[in-house]
Amino acid sequence: MSLLKTTFGALVTGAAMIGAGLLAAAPAAAQATDYPTRPIRLVVGFSPGGPTDIVARLLASNMGATLGQNMVVENKPGANSNIAANEVSNARPDGYTLLYNTSSIAISPALYKNLTYDVKKSLTPVGLSANVPIVLEVNPKLPVKDIKEFETYFKQEQGKGTYSSTGNGSITQLAAASVLNKLGVEAVHVPYPGSAPALVDLSGGVVDFMADTVNSSLPFLKDGRLRPIAVTSKERLAVLPDVPTLRELGLQDVEIGAWQGIMAPAGTPQPIIDKLNAALQKALKDPAVLKALAQQATDPLGGTPTEYGKFLDSEIERFNKLVAQNKIQMN
């Protein structure tokens, strides 16, 4: 009899737990179905008016129209965008606070030993949005017109040549380091607080070369203040059709870019993630958005949350190796 009571009690308890689970899941499902019912915050880890901010606002406007609610961009610059990432990772996982991130989020785990969030555990991918290709460029007074002359020059300099970047651990430093590693040559890194001063000093001959995002460098390339050597993209760029890719020049596995994407706090319901991803994919097919991205020398990406997650994992692994190989440290 006691065994019967025990078994019956276990069944009742189990049924109660299942019922409680169903009751808890019901509001979440309803919330996902109704989502969104109020404005959505899109947190950007860079200053207003910059290349990342411009693309984020372009997509936010289009996605908001699709979702039927305003998507409001908030800028939280600082610490290689880690301030923004930390804020979003601690937000409620309800789809109303999102992160517009760049490739820096895959670099930070290798650079910062005491991050206050875990890229893989604290955030969840929504989708890749865009990629800004990188151009290898030199001061035009340098006796370098192609990749062979580039290699020869820096071998002759025996590690005394210089290159600028937008800061220690930035994608521009890692892109330059990738090229130098592949060619087996060395150069002295000179970090700057952003593209503008780095490009000015490069065009003035203070440093020898830079691997910068195309959208920042394009005015300098168009008026001859800088000379392009190659681009790091898979294919040639419409804005620089005469500039070869590194792959064309025989340098494999040096494809690298300043990619961007959207992430949400971990635990955000999958139906909400899927709805956000669908709005993003729609935006990336809109002719007006594509035209605006082209004007920014920015390529649309897209894809599923799962694809973004796999890509993020591969980039974290790649940047970990690059940072270690080149002994890159934050000041």
Side-chain angles (χ1 to χ4, degrees):
M1 189 69 174
S2 59
L3 178 61
L4 179 61
K5 286 183 178 180
T6 301
T7 303
F8 179 74
L11 289 172
V12 171
T13 301
M17 291 177 65
I18 293 172
L22 290 173
L23 287 173
Q31 182 186 35
T33 302
D34 297 338
Y35 174 85
T37 59
R38 63 179 190 270
I40 302 166
R41 295 172 62 222
L42 183 62
V43 183
V44 178
F46 300 90
S47 300
T52 303
D53 178 72
I54 290 173
V55 177
R57 290 178 186 277
L58 173 69
L59 295 174
S61 177
N62 191 288
M63 291 175 65
T66 297
L67 294 167
Q69 289 287 340
N70 288 332
M71 186 173 281
V72 182
V73 172
E74 291 188 15
N75 300 90
K76 300 282 184 178
N80 208 26
S81 80
N82 287 321
I83 292 175
N86 180 67
E87 178 169 327
V88 174
S89 69
N90 288 313
R92 291 185 62 183
D94 55 10
Y96 290 99
T97 303
L98 307 174
L99 175 69
Y100 193 82
N101 66 276
T102 67
S103 46
S104 63
I105 203 166
I107 302 171
S108 287
L111 290 176
Y112 298 87
K113 304 308 178 186
N114 297 308
L115 281 178
T116 52
Y117 68 96
D118 187 307
V119 177
K120 293 184 179 182
K121 296 179 181 178
S122 306
L123 297 163
T124 189
V126 172
L128 281 165
S129 56
N131 180 65
V132 184
I134 288 175
V135 56
L136 180 67
E137 56 202 1
V138 299
N139 180 283
K141 293 181 181 178
L142 220 64
V144 171
K145 294 183 175 64
D146 56 40
I147 198 67
K148 282 296 181 185
E149 292 180 350
F150 181 94
E151 180 180 4
T152 299
Y153 179 83
F154 285 98
K155 279 184 177 178
Q156 292 174 344
E157 287 294 296
Q158 298 181 336
K160 296 180 181 179
T162 56
Y163 70 99
S164 57
S165 80
T166 56
N168 283 327
S170 65
I171 191 67
T172 56
Q173 183 191 7
L174 293 180
S178 296
V179 175
L180 293 172
N181 293 343
K182 201 70 176 179
L183 293 174
V185 297
E186 296 182 357
V188 177
H189 174 229
V190 183
Y192 285 78
S195 283
L199 291 168
V200 169
D201 274 9
L202 176 59
S203 63
V206 177
V207 290
D208 296 327
F209 84 94
M210 185 177 183
D212 190 31
T213 51
V214 174
N215 53 6
S216 297
S217 292
L218 200 55
F220 289 79
L221 297 169
K222 291 294 186 181
D223 64 15
R225 283 179 288 171
L226 296 178
R227 177 186 296 139
I229 300 300
V231 290
T232 63
S233 50
K234 290 183 178 181
E235 299 176 353
R236 293 196 182 199
L237 307 177
V239 293
L240 296 171
D242 298 325
V243 181
T245 67
L246 287 172
R247 175 180 284 190
E248 286 180 65
L249 300 174
L251 274 70
Q252 306 295 324
D253 305 321
V254 195
E255 292 169 7
I256 190 169
W259 50 264
Q260 304 169 11
I262 297 177
M263 303 189 80
T268 301
Q270 192 60 43
I272 290 179
I273 296 294
D274 293 339
K275 188 173 284 190
L276 287 166
N277 180 269
L280 175 61
Q281 303 315 309
K282 184 178 179 181
L284 293 172
K285 294 176 183 177
D286 187 306
V289 170
L290 295 177
K291 181 179 179 181
L293 289 177
Q295 291 172 344
Q296 291 289 316
T298 300
D299 298 324
L301 291 179
T304 66
T306 299
E307 289 170 338
Y308 184 13
K310 291 179 179 178
F311 174 76
L312 182 61
D313 287 344
S314 67
E315 288 289 88
I316 290 173
E317 182 179 357
R318 171 161 69 148
F319 292 142
N320 269 331
K321 291 178 181 177
L322 266 175
V323 168
Q325 179 180 356
N326 293 280
K327 299 178 181 178
I328 299 172
Q329 294 182 342
M330 298 301 295
N331 289 336

